[in-house]
Amino acid sequence: FRRVLFRSIRFAYESNRSAIENGRLLADALGKLSPGDMLTIAPGRYSLSPKVSLNLRGTSEKPIWIVGEKSNVPVVITRPDNKQNVLNLGESSRTEFICLRNLEFTGGSTLIRFHDCHHIWLDRCHLHHAGAEGITTNTRDTSYFFITGNHFHDFNESAATGEAMYLGANQGKAVMSYSVIAHNHVHHCSGQQGDGIELKQGSHHNWIFRNHVHDTQYPCILV
């Protein structure tokens, strides 16, 4: 990921608006990002409703950066209910060269569902207390993911499988390749299964490296 910027945009939190109103404004801003843009999000609680599906396409020379502003107060991205995922990427068209950094995701069903996604960097985010899983890449093939330095915990709803990371799909129907899962802290996963990091059949050329995984109901790391 090259840090070549076309536009630097700061998204301000409007304290006179509700979390849902701020969430709608944020979703609109996210949907308008172009290659080379860096959107820096001010601290606050953003509740995304209705469903938010981003189909963004950066390039190797001009990635798209979505970054939480450094502060003692987090940038929290959530939903008002668990009827939908907090964030969907690449559902309608190929999404690539996107970095999500220093953001907190909580609530909803799955926190982030990645569909047709490639060259994605999820870095230094806090992902916890979802109605289903933390992140999933189980609908289409994915590649060149970099999942680094994140904190995943408390995926324990009884009706969900409860994995922090569900990578690929059963019987190789979707595979993850050429990716790095490193330096993440993963803990307290239960639900119906509760793996920490699960990499599905058929996935290949992946490094799972120096993660701290503990207190899971199923294996900490299952490949």
Side-chain angles (χ1 to χ4, degrees):
F1 279 72
R2 296 171 181 258
R3 196 159 183 161
V4 179
L5 301 182
F6 177 66
R7 288 190 304 168
S8 182
I9 308 158
R10 184 180 185 274
F11 187 87
Y13 187 86
E14 298 187 25
S15 58
N16 61 326
R17 294 180 182 268
S18 68
I20 290 179
E21 289 172 324
N22 275 286
R24 287 175 179 163
L25 293 171
L26 176 60
D28 184 60
L30 290 169
K32 294 177 180 177
L33 294 175
S34 300
D37 286 352
M38 174 178 278
L39 181 70
T40 303
I41 306 170
R45 189 174 184 88
Y46 300 87
S47 185
L48 303 183
S49 179
K51 177 181 177 180
V52 175
S53 183
L54 298 180
N55 302 283
L56 303 173
R57 200 158 188 177
T59 69
S60 59
E61 294 295 326
K62 292 183 177 180
I64 295 172
W65 301 78
I66 302 169
V67 180
E69 190 171 271
K70 291 183 179 179
S71 169
N72 293 328
V73 179
V75 175
V76 180
I77 299 176
T78 187
R79 273 190 55 82
D81 55 51
N82 64 359
K83 296 178 181 179
Q84 182 50 253
N85 309 317
V86 174
L87 193 61
N88 300 275
L89 272 74
E91 188 172 12
S92 300
S93 62
R94 186 180 178 107
T95 290
E96 58 186 353
F97 293 103
I98 309 295
C99 177
L100 301 168
R101 173 177 286 170
N102 197 36
L103 302 167
E104 182 174 338
F105 294 91
T106 189
S109 181
T110 296
L111 294 178
I112 310 175
R113 173 152 286 176
F114 296 97
H115 296 272
D116 185 8
C117 292
H118 308 267
H119 296 91
I120 302 294
W121 191 5
L122 181 68
D123 183 53
R124 287 175 265 174
C125 291
H126 183 194
L127 304 101
H128 62 100
H129 291 94
E133 298 81 26
I135 63 172
T136 64
T137 66
N138 62 345
T139 62
R140 297 174 214 173
D141 291 350
T142 53
S143 63
Y144 297 100
F145 268 60
F146 303 89
I147 303 169
T148 57
N150 303 288
H151 185 190
F152 292 81
H153 65 95
D154 287 286
F155 303 99
N156 47 29
E157 290 292 329
S158 60
T161 54
E163 293 94 344
M165 303 184 211
Y166 190 114
L167 309 175
N170 288 324
Q171 289 80 50
K173 293 179 180 178
V175 303
M176 172 176 272
S177 60
Y178 299 100
S179 295
V180 176
I181 301 99
H183 296 283
N184 300 287
H185 185 194
V186 181
H187 59 98
H188 290 95
C189 305
S190 55
Q192 294 178 0
Q193 297 180 19
D195 310 287
I197 301 170
E198 182 174 9
L199 184 66
K200 290 291 190 176
Q201 301 96 328
S203 297
H204 59 90
H205 291 86
N206 300 295
W207 278 26
I208 300 177
F209 178 76
R210 286 198 175 182
N211 300 282
H212 181 196
V213 189
H214 60 93
D215 290 285
T216 62
Q217 181 165 284
Y218 269 30
C220 291
I221 300 175
L222 177 61
V223 178

